[in-house]
Amino acid sequence: MPVDPLNGRREVTVSDVAAAAKVSKATAARVLGGYGAASEAVRDRVQAAADELGYHPNALAKTMTTGRSNSIGIIVGDIENPFFAQATRGAADVAKAAGYDLILLNSDEEADAEQNAISVLLAKRVDGILVAPASTTDPSSLREAVERGRPLVLFDRVADGVDVDTVVADNLAGSRQLTQVLLDAGHRRIAFVSTIAHSSGYRVGDRLGSSSVDDRVRGFVGALADAGIDDPGRFVHLNARRDGVDAIVRRLIDDGITGIVASDSLIGQAAFRKMRSLGIRIPTDVSLVAFDDADWTSLSAPALTVMSQPIHELGAEGARLLIRRIAGDRAPTEHVVLAQRLVERESVAPPPA
Amino acid sequence: MPVDPLNGRREVTVSDVAAAAKVSKATAARVLGGYGAASEAVRDRVQAAADELGYHPNALAKTMTTGRSNSIGIIVGDIENPFFAQATRGAADVAKAAGYDLILLNSDEEADAEQNAISVLLAKRVDGILVAPASTTDPSSLREAVERGRPLVLFDRVADGVDVDTVVADNLAGSRQLTQVLLDAGHRRIAFVSTIAHSSGYRVGDRLGSSSVDDRVRGFVGALADAGIDDPGRFVHLNARRDGVDAIVRRLIDDGITGIVASDSLIGQAAFRKMRSLGIRIPTDVSLVAFDDADWTSLSAPALTVMSQPIHELGAEGARLLIRRIAGDRAPTEHVVLAQRLVERESVAPPPA
DNA sequence: TTGAAAGCGCTAACAT
DNA sequence: ATGTTAGCGCTTTCAA
């Protein structure tokens, strides 16, 4: 007499229904599970018994025998970050339509947490994993998933040496274009600011820990170089978390910078606030542009010129790729690159004379 | 020779490790699972065999026998809504600390989707469910969870006739206080705007589909009544989704309203945009206040006066309550009410003469 | 179309 | 401290 150890209740099982309907367990399972064949009479009888007893399937038991859980794991930096929230929704919708649920884990962009998350998901036998990898250059945290042959798809960032499907935004082109807006307005002293950690001062050619930031920096440097600006690398400011966006912005102003490219919406926000508190007028004194068309960028005064990301689609397409693999697709790995879109608003003007 | 049906690989099991270490399955399980006792020698031998073979536990099999999945389900209106994203993060942190993962489902505030989500979670044998119920007045979608005795906790909204733990913000007091700001500035014609669906025109005493909005409306009406304003119910505007916030705002202006209380940040944002496009100055022409201290409210010009919600804590406390129940606590149901906090900024001024 | 029996990987009694 | 055995609820051969 099996009893739920959690609340002492007895759950109705296939066996119970079978007994009540006077058929074998196999037959009851077939009609309840909707597979195999059964005569109409039997089907009705079983269904009636199931309703009568209050049968509810145990998806775990099913997973034990079929090997499929109809769950996929998603690992994001921080679900509280609107970027990840949107991407997660995109993934959730696609997943749901295909009959999958999402197990959500936050990595806080830490490799250890990410690795641990993967272990947990694997132990729970998810059918596949969708992750925005914390590190592009050190993909060891993803190893277990790959080694154990679970479908894995990367979104927003790629990871070196990990041969799986990926979906990212075209940060290189987007960054070039965004930087160009400043260049076209006449700016020559433009800074790029990011929170990404980097051991030393940035030098052109350095590889950054996140492929998307890496691409953004390369686009920025490329645009400056094309504009004939000497040693563009010196305009790249990383480690903003450690050093503080406020301090960096203040230093930038002192250095006579006239334009700023914020590597993401959070940095843009911090820079915006700091300049306001410093009494620096945007765009009269300094022009500011940022990645991500976040809510606030169209509500602020001035509204910000931004490079809009296909965030929802990043998650949705990631889920699509993953589900395809789960279904058994053995095609060569695919690398989807989604376009970004420039939204010009009021935060750019020519540099002060 | 068991084989993973998903990718044709053989997973290493406790039995394999036991055989390799020349101990019984039970012993191997004991050291691998970290329960029961084992001599140091055996422990080392088993561990070595496990490492050697590459053993990875199957959490599902464990759940089958223990009845505990170490997963909790969370059902939100829409994870893309920053409110739910924050609450989810709060819940995720508490859950993780206690060894639980989150299965995330969006209800889109629809009872059907909510009910379905609950069925799915129950089938997956989550240890408990955390939900922001789509409907306060029709809790039938929650029935299955209650009937089947799974721990259930409601957050942000309560549900009639469902005797489970709840955690909500003090919307009644918050709304009173927020409305009072407008009253104190001298406003007498103040509108409350919400997207919540309501069959007919609002009348004082009507029960709304969301307890939090219901409380906000009651707080608003109460404050107006206390200020001696006649028939406060006529200032309540619901169905903003159907009728359109834009249209409502326009009509309000025509009606000579001088102050608006936005029922949530999204409405506040829509109203803000509409007034800006109409050339209506905030707060010179119309004062605007809203619930939720969302990002944009401090970046906009003017910055908004808002009633800040303990969003993170709503999720965190919900998870705490739930985990307590999962642990077997049989105390009477608890109803936690968290304080809100007024943040005064620049969007309120006396009404125009 | 239906049934019997084995098995998924693990834990929990119960013995020893 | 260790082993034996049964069982969680389902699906899946294989036979009938």
Side-chain angles (χ1 to χ4, degrees), chain B:
Chain B
M1 200 177 296
V3 158
D4 185 328
L6 205 54
N7 56 19
R9 300 199 189 194
R10 173 78 169 68
E11 296 265 3
V12 176
T13 73
V14 170
S15 288
D16 299 323
V17 175
K22 300 190 196 309
V23 296
S24 74
K25 212 169 66 167
T27 299
R30 279 191 271 255
V31 355
L32 260 16
Y35 60 92
S39 69
E40 181 145 356
V42 166
R43 210 170 12 229
D44 291 349
R45 201 139 44 86
V46 170
Q47 202 53 66
D51 293 346
E52 166 78 21
L53 297 178
Y55 169 77
H56 297 283
N58 181 333
L60 261 29
K62 181 172 188 173
T63 300
M64 281 292 291
T65 80
T66 61
R68 318 205 41 153
S69 61
N70 293 309
S71 312
I72 79 184
I74 180 165
I75 305 176
V76 299
D78 175 11
I79 190 63
E80 206 166 330
N81 179 333
F83 175 89
F84 288 119
Q86 269 178 266
T88 298
R89 178 54 135 123
D93 289 345
V94 169
K96 182 176 188 178
Y100 294 89
D101 302 305
L102 251 38
I103 300 186
L104 171 74
L105 267 353
N106 300 106
S107 71
D108 289 311
E109 306 289 2
E110 312 255 357
D112 286 0
E114 181 174 287
Q115 185 166 358
N116 186 61
I118 287 183
S119 290
V120 167
L121 292 172
L122 254 15
K124 293 205 172 171
R125 293 300 189 262
V126 294
D127 294 333
I129 301 179
L130 193 54
V131 30
S135 171
T136 288
T137 46
D138 174 17
S140 62
S141 48
L142 305 173
R143 225 198 40 225
E144 193 184 350
V146 177
E147 280 177 0
R148 295 176 59 194
R150 282 283 144 175
L152 174 69
V153 169
L154 272 24
F155 76 98
D156 187 46
R157 287 95 88 148
V158 301
D160 295 343
V162 180
D163 184 32
V164 299
D165 295 337
T166 59
V167 49
V168 299
D170 190 351
N171 289 295
L172 188 62
S175 188
R176 268 197 116 90
Q177 194 185 355
L178 186 58
T179 306
Q180 195 60 47
V181 171
L182 258 16
L183 256 6
D184 287 346
H187 295 266
R188 305 288 292 174
R189 299 185 57 78
I190 306 171
F192 181 98
V193 184
S194 168
T195 41
I196 199 165
H198 191 59
S199 42
S200 53
Y202 176 80
R203 292 150 66 129
V204 173
D206 282 4
R207 197 73 200 305
L208 268 25
S210 154
S211 65
S212 58
V213 176
D214 193 81
D215 285 347
R216 286 171 191 190
V217 168
R218 289 195 297 121
F220 170 81
V221 166
L224 259 49
D226 287 359
I229 290 171
D230 190 46
D231 186 16
R234 72 196 147 116
F235 290 114
V236 175
H237 298 262
L238 310 178
N239 297 308
R241 180 129 43 211
R242 191 192 61 198
D243 303 350
V245 177
D246 280 14
I248 292 178
V249 168
R250 166 164 269 146
R251 183 148 42 83
L252 257 24
I253 303 301
D254 292 345
D255 287 358
I257 287 294
T258 64
I260 296 178
V261 179
S263 177
D264 62 52
S265 174
L266 266 22
I267 303 253
Q269 194 173 307
F272 186 93
R273 285 188 203 277
K274 185 59 182 173
M275 289 202 267
R276 194 166 61 179
S277 81
L278 250 28
I280 291 163
R281 293 159 303 174
I282 303 172
T284 321
D285 302 322
V286 174
S287 290
L288 173 67
V289 299
F291 282 85
D292 273 14
D293 185 18
D295 262 15
W296 70 271
T297 62
S298 63
L299 261 2
S300 60
L304 244 61
T305 287
V306 297
M307 187 51 69
S308 175
Q309 310 287 309
I311 308 182
H312 213 269
E313 192 58 16
L314 240 22
E317 183 62 19
R320 266 179 228 117
L321 290 171
L322 187 57
I323 289 168
R324 228 187 46 185
R325 291 297 170 189
I326 292 172
D329 190 332
R330 300 233 170 289
T333 55
E334 194 165 321
H335 303 285
V336 178
V337 177
L338 269 18
Q340 308 194 153
R341 188 172 50 81
L342 179 67
V343 180
E344 295 198 75
R345 292 202 271 244
E346 313 148 351
S347 61
V348 175

Side-chain angles (χ1 to χ4, degrees), chain A residues 12-323:
Chain A
V12 177
T13 72
V14 170
S15 287
D16 300 322
V17 175
K22 300 190 198 313
V23 296
S24 74
K25 212 170 62 169
T27 299
R30 280 191 270 255
V31 355
L32 261 15
Y35 58 92
S39 68
E40 181 144 355
V42 166
R43 208 164 20 220
D44 291 348
R45 200 137 46 85
V46 171
Q47 201 54 65
D51 293 345
E52 166 78 23
L53 298 178
Y55 169 76
H56 296 283
N58 181 334
L60 261 30
K62 182 174 189 173
T63 301
M64 283 291 291
T65 80
T66 61
R68 318 204 41 151
S69 61
N70 294 308
S71 311
I72 78 183
I74 181 166
I75 306 175
V76 300
D78 177 10
I79 190 63
E80 207 166 330
N81 178 333
F83 176 89
F84 287 120
Q86 270 180 265
T88 298
R89 181 48 138 125
D93 289 346
V94 169
K96 182 175 188 178
Y100 293 89
D101 302 304
L102 253 38
I103 301 186
L104 171 75
L105 267 354
N106 299 104
S107 72
D108 288 312
E109 306 289 3
E110 311 253 359
D112 285 0
E114 182 173 287
Q115 184 165 359
N116 186 59
I118 286 184
S119 290
V120 168
L121 292 172
L122 255 14
K124 294 205 172 170
R125 293 300 187 261
V126 295
D127 293 333
I129 302 177
L130 193 54
V131 30
S135 171
T136 288
T137 47
D138 175 18
S140 62
S141 48
L142 306 173
R143 226 196 40 227
E144 192 182 350
V146 176
E147 280 177 359
R148 293 177 56 193
R150 283 282 144 176
L152 174 70
V153 168
L154 272 23
F155 76 98
D156 188 47
R157 287 96 86 145
V158 301
D160 295 343
V162 179
D163 184 32
V164 299
D165 295 336
T166 59
V167 49
V168 299
D170 191 352
N171 290 294
L172 188 60
S175 188
R176 268 198 116 90
Q177 195 186 355
L178 187 59
T179 306
Q180 194 62 45
V181 171
L182 258 17
L183 255 7
D184 288 347
H187 295 266
R188 306 288 292 174
R189 298 185 57 77
I190 306 170
F192 180 100
V193 184
S194 168
T195 40
I196 200 167
H198 191 61
S199 40
S200 51
Y202 175 79
R203 291 149 67 129
V204 174
D206 281 6
R207 197 71 200 305
L208 267 28
S210 154
S211 65
S212 59
V213 177
D214 193 81
D215 285 347
R216 259 112 109 144
V217 168
R218 289 194 297 121
F220 169 80
V221 164
L224 259 50
D226 287 357
I229 290 171
D230 190 48
D231 184 18
R234 72 198 146 115
F235 290 114
V236 175
H237 297 263
L238 310 178
N239 296 307
R241 181 129 41 212
R242 190 193 62 199
D243 302 351
V245 178
D246 279 14
I248 291 179
V249 168
R250 167 165 267 145
R251 184 148 39 82
L252 256 24
I253 304 300
D254 292 346
D255 287 356
I257 286 293
T258 64
I260 296 179
V261 178
S263 177
D264 62 53
S265 174
L266 266 22
I267 303 254
Q269 194 173 307
F272 187 94
R273 285 187 202 277
K274 185 58 183 178
M275 290 201 267
R276 194 167 61 180
S277 81
L278 250 28
I280 292 164
R281 293 161 302 175
I282 302 174
T284 320
D285 301 323
V286 174
S287 291
L288 173 66
V289 299
F291 282 85
D292 274 14
D293 185 17
D295 262 14
W296 70 271
T297 61
S298 63
L299 260 3
S300 60
L304 244 60
T305 287
V306 298
M307 185 53 67
S308 175
Q309 311 286 309
I311 308 181
H312 215 267
E313 192 58 17
L314 240 24
E317 182 63 20
R320 267 180 227 116
L321 291 170
L322 186 58
I323 289 168

